């Protein structure tokens, strides 16, 4: 049932129409420490971040990031609190990799059966 809900969702329709699609896109990239942390001073220190974006796709001249979650939650705020920072890092990496802005960061919750925009 959860999969059927996803396959009939608006976000799945957007995925099908995407100009370009990347699944499980692994990245390893370097950023200035102050870009990743508001508390970090501009010391010139670098931080290396690695991860894997579940799905990202190109629409026009921008990127949409979609992160799938199976967490058993009762409220979308729980997912936002737990994963907003992770998706911020994914957006920074995607902008660096593709040279395009990220226009949307979306969590798709299979438990709640809906997309959550950050």
């Amino acid at each position: 049932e959860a999969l059927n809900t996803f396959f009939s969702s608006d976000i799945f329709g957007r995925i099908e129409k995407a100009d370009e699609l990347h699944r499980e896109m692994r990245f390893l990239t370097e950023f200035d420490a102050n870009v990743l942390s508001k508390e970090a001073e501009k010391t010139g220190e670098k931080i290396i971040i690695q991860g894997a974006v579940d799905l990202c796709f190109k629409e026009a001249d921008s990127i949409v990031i979609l992160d799938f979650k199976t967490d058993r939650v009762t409220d979308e705020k729980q997912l936002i609190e737990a994963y907003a920072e992770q998706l911020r890092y994914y957006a920074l990496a995607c902008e660096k990799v593709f040279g395009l802005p990220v226009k949307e960061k979306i969590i798709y919750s299979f438990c709640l059966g809906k997309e959550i925009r950050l």
Side-chain angles (χ1 to χ4, degrees):
E1 188 177 317
L3 286 175
N4 286 334
T5 300
F6 171 69
F7 289 132
S8 63
S9 70
D10 290 338
I11 193 65
F12 185 73
R14 288 173 66 190
I15 292 167
E16 288 186 308
K17 295 175 185 171
D19 298 332
E20 198 174 303
L21 183 67
H22 301 271
R23 294 180 184 96
E24 287 296 317
M25 187 192 81
R26 298 194 179 284
F27 65 88
L28 176 68
T29 192
E30 180 181 83
F31 293 100
D32 289 330
N34 64 313
V35 171
L36 299 177
S37 171
K38 294 174 186 170
E39 293 80 32
E41 296 179 27
K42 290 192 175 196
T43 61
E45 289 185 49
K46 304 288 185 184
I47 295 177
I48 295 176
I49 299 285
Q50 72 175 22
V53 178
D54 288 343
L55 184 86
C56 62
F57 57 94
K58 183 178 172 191
E59 283 184 331
D61 291 330
S62 58
I63 301 294
V64 176
I65 295 172
L66 181 59
D67 197 41
F68 297 107
K69 298 299 180 195
T70 57
D71 305 42
R72 299 257 178 226
V73 295
T74 56
D75 188 307
E76 66 185 56
K77 290 179 185 176
Q78 294 170 288
L79 293 172
I80 293 169
E81 288 175 12
Y83 298 109
E85 193 71 4
Q86 174 187 350
L87 267 70
R88 186 173 83 83
Y89 294 156
Y90 286 0
L92 290 170
C94 284
E95 287 177 348
K96 193 171 183 180
V97 168
F98 296 108
L100 295 170
V102 169
K103 74 174 179 178
E104 285 182 272
K105 298 175 286 188
I106 302 169
I107 293 173
Y108 186 85
S109 169
F110 283 97
C111 177
L112 299 175
K114 67 180 192 176
E115 55 192 82
I116 303 159
R117 286 181 171 70
L118 301 177

